């Protein structure tokens, strides 16, 4: 009888330890967050979470940085600079269609990007 009681105590202790191990392991599981991307431009280093688009799911032509614009396939440093220069020279974009006024962007490219852009 005493051996049976001892076995149940050991079983209970093992069960409690198992639950404790599972709870500790569960708390160490990292949150599912997108990886961060670090951009370096001159003396500035910026780290942001990469989502492929802005926080709203769209890239705003009137507020986007060069790094944000370069997230679009086909926009490199030169074209991003042209977009920012156009915005600085002509003021905010009134529509996404106005992007074709930037040298190097035609209707075909604009249609590829339209779903990701807003003003």
């Amino acid at each position: 009888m005493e051996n049976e009681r001892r076995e149940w105590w050991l079983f209970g202790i093992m069960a409690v330890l198992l639950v404790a191990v599972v709870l500790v392991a569960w708390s160490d599981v990292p949150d599912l967050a997108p990886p961060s991307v670090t951009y370096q431009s001159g003396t500035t280093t910026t780290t942001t979470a990469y989502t492929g688009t802005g926080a709203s799911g769209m890239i705003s032509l009137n507020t986007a940085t060069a790094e944000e614009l370069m997230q679009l396939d086909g926009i490199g440093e030169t074209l991003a600079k042209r977009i920012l220069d156009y915005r600085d020279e002509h003021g905010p974009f009134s529509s996404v269609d106005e992007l074709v006024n930037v040298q190097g962007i035609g209707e075909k490219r604009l249609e590829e990007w339209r779903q990701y852009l807003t003003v």
Side-chain angles (χ1 to χ4, degrees):
M1 177 98 167
E2 193 172 315
N3 282 340
E4 189 175 314
R5 183 178 274 178
R6 197 175 298 151
E7 287 175 5
W8 277 106
W9 271 101
L10 287 174
F11 176 75
I13 291 171
M14 295 298 281
V16 169
L17 288 174
L18 180 63
V19 169
V21 167
V22 168
L23 290 176
V24 169
W26 188 276
S27 68
D28 287 341
V29 174
D31 292 335
L32 296 176
S36 62
V37 178
T38 302
Y39 300 103
Q40 290 185 331
S41 173
T43 59
T44 305
T45 300
T46 305
T47 301
T48 58
Y50 176 76
T51 59
T53 57
S56 67
M58 303 286 280
I59 295 174
S60 172
L61 291 173
N62 292 326
T63 60
T65 63
E67 289 82 12
E68 290 170 331
L69 291 169
M70 289 188 309
Q71 291 179 11
L72 289 172
D73 189 34
I75 296 185
E77 289 182 36
T78 302
L79 192 52
K81 184 178 180 335
R82 284 186 199 152
I83 294 169
L84 296 180
D85 290 345
Y86 181 90
R87 185 175 70 194
D88 290 343
E89 188 174 322
H90 296 93
F93 287 89
S94 58
S95 73
V96 174
D97 294 326
E98 191 178 345
L99 197 57
V100 296
N101 296 334
V102 176
Q103 180 187 2
I105 300 176
E107 290 290 334
K108 185 177 178 183
R109 272 193 162 170
L110 178 60
E111 288 308 313
E112 292 174 4
W113 300 331
R114 184 178 298 279
Q115 63 184 337
Y116 304 110
L117 299 173
T118 189
V119 289

